[in-house]
Amino acid sequence: QICLSLVKLLFYLAHSPLGSIVLLDFQPRQFVMVDGNLKVTDMDDASTEELSCKEDDDCTLDFPTKSFPLKCSVVGKCEGINEKKNLFNAYRYFFTYLLPHSAPPPLRPFLSDILNATGDLRYGINETLKAFERVLHLYKSGLYLQKRPLLLNDYISLKGFRTVEGEDYKCWPSYSHLGCLLSVHGAEEAAAICNSQSQCQSFIVTQQRTWTGRPLTWFQSGLTDLIPDANAVVYIKRLASSGERL
């Protein structure tokens, strides 16, 4: 969410009515999330000036660990230097820390492509935004899910109940420090996640939603007390349910 919102902001800056705007003091502390959108807190160091040049050798974009040769345009400006400077700073301050582990495993190769392409400045802001929107579409639609046998057949479903939420085993990246709370596309994906975790014996898909509309799901190591809840369904592994009290 942070990276996508940042890319949308940089897309606007690259195509603003004032021309391409560069953030000269590009640091994480310059940004804040407001209602799920990333905002710049200080525009004092923003500029629409693009580096003047006479030849291509005047247009090297230098960073501490990398340099990029750019073209000198016919009007004597380094082509796209503001856009590329913003994008590479987004790569080194945000993408490298947030992208590698922020999606289900089937989607990580797509994020790796974005990471590599922006790190080498092979993508401009237009291509980067399109790549992010493609990943978001796959994520929200569930098209990334691999076809597999119906794993929910391994579970007993108890409609009209939920379990008592309490401290349980931890997983990453959990939405709760008390236990394993993850977002899923649906109950079938939740069953696949539960099967992949040796501690998991049951799960409940809650009514809580993430910013993409995906439901949050509690994964639990045992069967705790059940509480009536007309809107809930508890899924329990069949092997786990044998010999347990229901």
Side-chain angles (χ1 to χ4, degrees), residues 79-98:
E79 288 185 358
I81 192 168
N82 287 352
E83 173 187 329
K84 293 179 184 298
K85 186 178 289 187
N86 284 341
L87 189 54
F88 190 79
N89 278 326
Y91 159 80
R92 66 179 182 140
Y93 288 119
F94 287 88
F95 297 173
T96 54
Y97 299 104
L98 300 178

Side-chain angles (χ1 to χ4, degrees), residues 66 68 83-84 87-92 95-96 99 108-132:
K66 278 189 175 183
F68 300 96
E83 173 187 329
K84 293 179 184 298
L87 189 54
F88 190 79
N89 278 326
Y91 159 80
R92 66 179 182 140
F95 297 173
T96 54
L99 286 187
R108 290 177 190 169
F110 296 99
L111 296 182
S112 294
D113 288 343
I114 294 174
L115 196 63
N116 293 333
T118 53
D120 294 334
L121 286 184
R122 287 185 285 109
Y123 279 1
I125 191 62
N126 294 359
E127 295 87 354
T128 303
L129 180 57
K130 287 179 182 177
F132 267 102

